[in-house]
Amino acid sequence: MPDHTTPQQLQPMPTDWRRALAVVAHPDDLEYGASAAIAAWLDEGRTCAYVLATRGEAGIDTLSPAEAGPLREREQRESAAAVGVDTVEFLDHADGVIEYGTALRRDIAAAVRRHRPELVLTLNHHDTWGGVAWNTPDHRAVGRATLDAVADAGNRWIFPELVDDGLTPWNGVRYVAVAGSPRPTHAVDASAGLDRAVASLLCHRTYIEALTDEEPERYCQTFLEGNMKAAGERFGGRPAVAFELFSR
């Protein structure tokens, strides 16, 4: 009889792609694990651009949005540079109250057409994190809109105004990888990217200091190593970043 107590092993991510686009809601969303995979991909000669729906302006209780937005944008650009990403764009939706709908889909579809990736990466769009903690509306909205916008980007009759703006349809996305999903299917060996992932997360120091009383360096190292070790138990014992992979 099958052993239902043994977690299903994660499969290696496909490698038949060159350009990635990461689309998430907030500064720091990519740094809680996905950046280690991005660092490893860049080492292989691939490219990745970041698109963020907001500037994270509502994320720090002790700072007004007018103060927090520019600060968190700066920290995000530094964070991206720490793993080797130099293209970071912001869509300027309102932090905390992102609405799933055609406006969000249009903005993400435009980004897909602009960058023409073969792999799109986003964050957990499911209702919960592992069935334990409720996911935020922003994450759910952006994740789901990204999945839909990938198809929108390839259809010239959806958002035809994008063609007028010079953004012709792009039907070349082969995969959508969802980081932080409670239903992972694939993984990337994070060994080579772990140190850069820690450095990248540490760039969000102001946010982390507001989030926890723990010393930031220790917090970042412990959090990432713990998550990657847990994923690695389903990936041959190697530190890993897990993804739920959708193929098109």
Side-chain angles (χ1 to χ4, degrees), residues 4 25 30 35 37 52 67 83 107 109 111 116 120 140-141 162 176 178 202 206 231:
H4 295 294
L30 290 166
S35 60
L52 290 91
E67 295 173 285
V83 296
D107 285 349
R116 307 181 92 73
V120 171
R140 299 197 311 269
L162 296 182
V176 180
V178 180
L202 268 171
T206 307

Side-chain angles (χ1 to χ4, degrees), residues 19 27 66-67 86 142 178 208 214 223 248:
R19 297 183 305 278
E67 295 173 285
D86 56 15
V142 172
V178 180
I208 292 169
E214 192 173 353
F223 183 92
R248 302 187 71 248

Side-chain angles (χ1 to χ4, degrees), residues 101-169:
T102 53
L104 182 60
R105 283 170 49 198
R106 183 190 304 112
D107 285 349
I108 298 173
V112 172
R113 291 187 183 191
R114 189 162 56 248
H115 293 284
R116 307 181 92 73
E118 298 141 297
L119 181 143
V120 171
L121 187 159
T122 191
L123 193 64
N124 182 18
H125 62 286
H126 296 291
D127 288 341
T128 66
W129 298 96
V132 178
W134 191 249
N135 198 0
T136 71
D138 282 2
H139 295 150
R140 299 197 311 269
V142 172
R144 290 169 181 170
T146 299
L147 287 164
D148 292 336
V150 164
D152 297 336
N155 188 330
R156 72 175 57 253
W157 307 120
I158 298 176
F159 311 130
E161 64 273 22
L162 296 182
V163 176
D164 296 336
D165 292 338
L167 297 174
T168 56

Side-chain angles (χ1 to χ4, degrees), residues 8-211:
Q8 183 177 359
Q9 293 299 294
L10 300 171
Q11 300 301 308
M13 285 281 287
T15 58
D16 55 340
W17 60 273
R18 303 302 299 173
R19 297 183 305 278
L21 175 68
V23 183
V24 293
H26 315 108
D28 86 354
D29 281 353
L30 290 166
E31 282 68 57
Y32 279 92
S35 60
I38 293 168
W41 291 334
L42 295 178
D43 287 348
E44 297 169 351
R46 306 177 196 278
T47 65
C48 185
Y50 287 3
V51 170
L52 290 91
T54 79
R55 297 176 193 269
E57 67 273 11
I60 300 176
D61 184 63
T62 56
L63 293 179
S64 71
E67 295 173 285
L71 185 150
R72 297 201 71 197
E73 175 185 345
R74 183 171 64 252
E75 289 187 338
Q76 180 59 66
R77 293 188 186 281
E78 293 169 353
S79 177
V83 296
V85 172
D86 56 15
T87 300
V88 182
E89 300 173 355
F90 296 86
L91 301 179
D92 285 327
H93 287 255
D95 185 19
V97 291
I98 299 174
E99 295 185 12
Y100 174 90
T102 53
L104 182 60
R105 283 170 49 198
R106 183 190 304 112
D107 285 349
I108 298 173
V112 172
R113 291 187 183 191
R114 189 162 56 248
H115 293 284
R116 307 181 92 73
E118 298 141 297
L119 181 143
V120 171
L121 187 159
T122 191
L123 193 64
N124 182 18
H125 62 286
H126 296 291
D127 288 341
T128 66
W129 298 96
V132 178
W134 191 249
N135 198 0
T136 71
D138 282 2
H139 295 150
R140 299 197 311 269
V142 172
R144 290 169 181 170
T146 299
L147 287 164
D148 292 336
V150 164
D152 297 336
N155 188 330
R156 72 175 57 253
W157 307 120
I158 298 176
F159 311 130
E161 64 273 22
L162 296 182
V163 176
D164 296 336
D165 292 338
L167 297 174
T168 56
W170 173 248
N171 224 352
V173 177
R174 305 185 64 185
Y175 308 104
V176 180
V178 180
S181 169
R183 306 172 189 172
T185 57
H186 291 67
V188 173
D189 189 329
S191 304
L194 176 57
D195 289 345
R196 277 170 288 171
V198 172
S200 184
L201 182 55
L202 268 171
C203 289
H204 297 280
R205 183 176 289 271
T206 307
Y207 177 76
I208 292 169
E209 288 177 344
L211 183 70

